[in-house]
Amino acid sequence: MPSAVAVDLALVLAVDCSSSVDEGDFRMQMDGIAAALRNPPLLDAIAAGNFRRIAVTLLQWSSWQSQEVTVEWRVVGERAELEAFAQETEKAKREWLPGGTGLAAAITFSIALLETLPVLASRRVIDVSGDGEDNDGGDAGLARDAAVARGITINGLPILSGSSTLMSYYRNQVIGGPGAFLMPAANMQSFKEAMIGKLLREVRQLTV
C-alpha cells in the first residue's frame, strides 16, 4: 500500500474467536461481516467521504497470546474491492488458541496495526465484537485508554446472549474516543444485523 494514499477511515475489525465461540458462531460472525461489506448503502457512505475510500483489516483474537490477521490492510472504495474483502472473510478459517478471553491484548494488538498503517487516515477506529469480558489477565480499560491517548476510537459490538453485565462492561471498559458507540447484538443470530448497522455508522461517522 503506497504511503501517499489517504483514506477517510482506517478500521480494524477485531472479532472474538475465543473458547466461548464455537465453529457455528464463528461462521455467523464471518457471514455477518461479509453481509455488512455488501450492504449497498455502505458503498454510498464511502463515496460520500473526502477521499472516497477507507482502509480495513480483519483480526481474529482469542486468548491473550492469540491474535491473527485474517485479511491484511486493504484500501477499498469500489464495489469490486468490497466484494473481494467479503469473499476472503467468508472463506476465512477460525484461528484461535484455547484459553480465556484476551480482550485487552486484542485492543493492544489493534493499536499496533493502526500505528503501522502505511497510509494516511482522517480517522482511526477499532471495531471490537465479543461475547465476554477479559478474563485472561488483561485490563481492557487500560488498553482502551492507551488507544484513546493516540487519537483512536474504539466502538463495541457486545454479543449479549442473556448477559446482564456485558453491555455495561463494554460501555465502561471497552469503548472510548471521539464518537464512540455501542451496537449490541442480542445473540449470535443477531450479529449480522448489528454489524450491518455498526459498519455503516462507523463509515458515516454518525454520533447519534
Side-chain angles (χ1 to χ4, degrees), residues 136-148:
D136 213 9
D139 187 320
L142 286 177
R144 181 267 320 277
D145 292 346
V148 172

Side-chain angles (χ1 to χ4, degrees), residues 1-202:
M1 231 181 295
S3 58
V5 169
V7 297
D8 294 299
L9 170 68
L11 180 65
V12 178
L13 297 170
V15 184
D16 183 0
C17 298
S18 59
S19 298
S20 59
V21 176
D22 62 22
E23 184 64 27
D25 293 338
F26 172 72
R27 291 264 62 93
M28 277 190 277
Q29 291 184 95
M30 295 299 105
D31 291 346
I33 293 170
L37 291 166
R38 291 181 174 125
N39 183 34
L42 180 65
L43 183 62
D44 295 335
I46 293 172
N50 291 330
F51 299 108
R52 303 172 63 87
R53 57 198 173 200
I54 65 173
V56 190
T57 186
L58 177 62
L59 169 69
Q60 295 183 45
W61 59 272
S62 53
S63 58
W64 70 268
Q65 74 270 42
S66 179
Q67 303 88 33
E68 296 288 339
V69 176
T70 300
V71 184
E72 299 282 351
W73 280 115
R74 193 79 50 79
V75 172
V76 296
E78 304 290 340
R79 188 175 304 280
E81 294 166 339
L82 287 167
E83 177 61 28
F85 199 112
Q87 289 184 17
E88 285 192 51
T89 301
E90 287 176 324
K91 295 174 183 176
K93 295 181 179 179
R94 184 182 176 203
E95 303 284 351
W96 69 293
L97 290 176
T101 299
L103 178 51
I107 293 173
T108 300
F109 190 89
S110 298
I111 293 171
L113 285 176
L114 286 165
E115 293 283 87
T116 58
L117 175 68
V119 302
L120 301 174
S122 300
R123 293 183 291 124
R124 300 186 296 169
V125 175
I126 301 169
D127 178 329
V128 179
S129 59
D131 68 351
E133 303 177 10
D134 191 301
N135 60 9
D136 213 9
D139 187 320
L142 286 177
R144 181 267 320 277
D145 292 346
V148 172
R150 291 167 170 80
I152 297 168
T153 293
I154 302 179
N155 298 324
L157 197 168
I159 303 163
L160 303 179
S161 299
S163 172
S164 61
T165 61
L166 189 60
M167 185 79 164
S168 61
Y169 177 82
Y170 262 68
R171 180 179 294 111
N172 296 324
Q173 299 294 323
V174 178
I175 69 169
F181 67 93
L182 287 175
M183 185 73 73
N187 47 45
M188 280 293 181
Q189 288 73 25
S190 305
F191 180 89
K192 179 172 76 173
E193 181 180 354
M195 180 55 74
I196 288 172
K198 187 166 188 282
L199 186 56
L200 187 59
R201 182 170 171 178
E202 283 164 336

